[in-house]
Amino acid sequence: MEVNLAIMFVDIVDSTRLYERLGNVRAAALTQGALEQVRDLVAAHKGVVVKSLGDGLMCAYPSADQLCLAAAAMIERQPQLGVGIRVGGHFGPVVCQDNDIFGDATNTTARVQSLAKPNEILVTGAVVERLPSLLRSRLRLIDSTTVKGKTLPISIYQFRTEDEQDDAIESTISGVDLFTGPAPSPITLQLHYLDQRLEVSRSHPKVTIGRDAHNDIRILSKRASRGHGTIEFERE
C-alpha cells in the first residue's frame, strides 16, 4: 500500500572513530543508550521507528511538523545523548510492506541526511511546504542539489532548534559586484581567533563557526549557537 509520510533518517556521527577510541563494549553501550533516547523522542512525537540502520534509525511520521519537532528535540537532547547526531527529513509517497517502507522518498531522505553536519537537521522543500508558518520561521535555505534518480535539483533547508533560532543573527550579501576588473588571484580571507589562523579560499572554501566541537572555529560561549555561522568562498 502506498501512503504519504514524513521520513526521517537519524545517524550517530563518526561512530567508527567512536569504536576505535572507546573500544567495542563501551562504544556499543554509548550508542545503544543514545538510540534508545532517540526512540523515546520519536514515540513522543507520534512517530514510529521503522528499522535500525547500523548506528542509526529510519523513522516515519504522519506529518512534516511532527518530524521537525522530533528532530529539534533530539538535537536539544544531544548533551545527554553523549554522541553527535545528524538528521535528514523528506516528505513523499512510500510503499508500506512487511513492517518496512520502500520507495524514492526513502532514498531522497538518506541523501539529505548524508549532507547534514554534526548536530544539524536538514529537510527538503517537500517538508517545508507542509509546515505551519510558525515553524517556517526556523528554516534557512542551504542549497539546491541533485539526487540520484531525480532529474531536477531539490531544495535543502536547515531547521533550527528554538535556542539556535533565538541566537542566530544572519547577514547575507548577494548580487554585489565586488570587483570592476579581473579578480586578483589568489583571493583569500584570513580568519584569526585566539590562537587559530584559518584561511577561506578556493582550496578551502568553507569555515564553520559555533559552540559545537565539530566546528572549525569553536566559540566557547552560551551566547553562540551550536552552528552559529558559515563563511563560504563563492564565485571569487
Side-chain angles (χ1 to χ4, degrees):
M1 179 177 66
E2 187 174 79
V3 295
N4 287 308
L5 291 174
I7 311 301
M8 172 197 285
F9 278 46
V10 55
D11 187 56
I12 291 176
V13 176
D14 289 336
S15 59
T16 300
R17 190 176 304 173
L18 193 67
Y19 276 81
E20 290 176 352
R21 181 166 57 88
L22 299 180
N24 291 339
V25 174
R26 288 180 60 197
L30 181 61
T31 56
Q32 291 308 309
L35 290 178
E36 282 304 313
Q37 293 186 63
V38 169
R39 286 175 180 270
D40 291 342
L41 292 171
V42 172
H45 290 84
K46 301 185 189 289
V48 295
V49 174
V50 178
K51 60 184 174 183
S52 297
L53 301 167
D55 289 319
L57 302 172
M58 178 199 287
C59 314
Y61 300 81
S63 69
D65 55 326
Q66 289 165 330
L67 180 149
C68 287
L69 291 174
M74 293 171 193
I75 299 300
E76 290 166 351
R77 180 77 67 87
Q78 191 272 329
Q80 287 74 48
L81 296 180
V83 295
I85 60 172
R86 64 179 101 240
V87 183
H90 179 55
F91 190 97
V94 293
V95 175
C96 300
Q97 182 179 329
D98 299 328
N99 296 318
D100 202 351
I101 57 176
F102 309 90
D104 179 62
T106 61
N107 299 329
T108 299
T109 310
R111 170 61 175 156
V112 171
Q113 184 265 321
S114 71
L115 298 173
K117 296 180 294 186
N119 301 316
E120 183 178 50
I121 305 162
L122 295 184
V123 297
T124 64
V127 170
V128 175
E129 291 169 3
R130 293 164 174 82
L131 290 178
S133 58
L134 185 62
L135 292 182
R136 288 194 186 195
S137 67
R138 290 161 63 173
L139 292 161
R140 181 169 76 95
L141 179 63
I142 297 293
D143 199 2
S144 291
T145 186
T146 55
V147 175
K148 185 177 180 180
K150 298 280 191 182
T151 56
L152 296 175
I154 61 172
S155 297
I156 307 293
Y157 293 79
Q158 180 192 55
F159 184 80
R160 289 181 286 227
T161 65
E162 283 188 335
D163 105 351
E164 288 170 331
Q165 175 66 11
D166 290 342
D167 290 343
I169 300 174
E170 298 180 21
S171 178
T172 302
I173 302 174
S174 60
V176 177
D177 293 326
L178 298 179
F179 304 101
T180 57
S185 180
I187 296 173
T188 63
L189 176 67
Q190 303 293 328
L191 304 178
H192 296 182
Y193 177 70
L194 300 180
D195 60 346
Q196 286 185 272
R197 300 290 185 270
L198 295 176
E199 178 182 281
V200 187
S201 64
R202 180 183 294 279
S203 60
H204 189 247
K206 181 183 290 188
V207 169
T208 58
I209 302 168
R211 192 172 74 238
D212 193 274
H214 298 281
N215 287 289
D216 299 309
I217 296 178
R218 189 180 185 192
I219 310 295
L220 295 176
S221 169
K222 291 183 178 180
R223 296 178 65 85
S225 302
R226 294 184 183 91
H228 203 84
T230 302
I231 299 175
E232 296 184 74
F233 180 96
E234 185 175 308
R235 296 188 297 274
E236 303 300 331

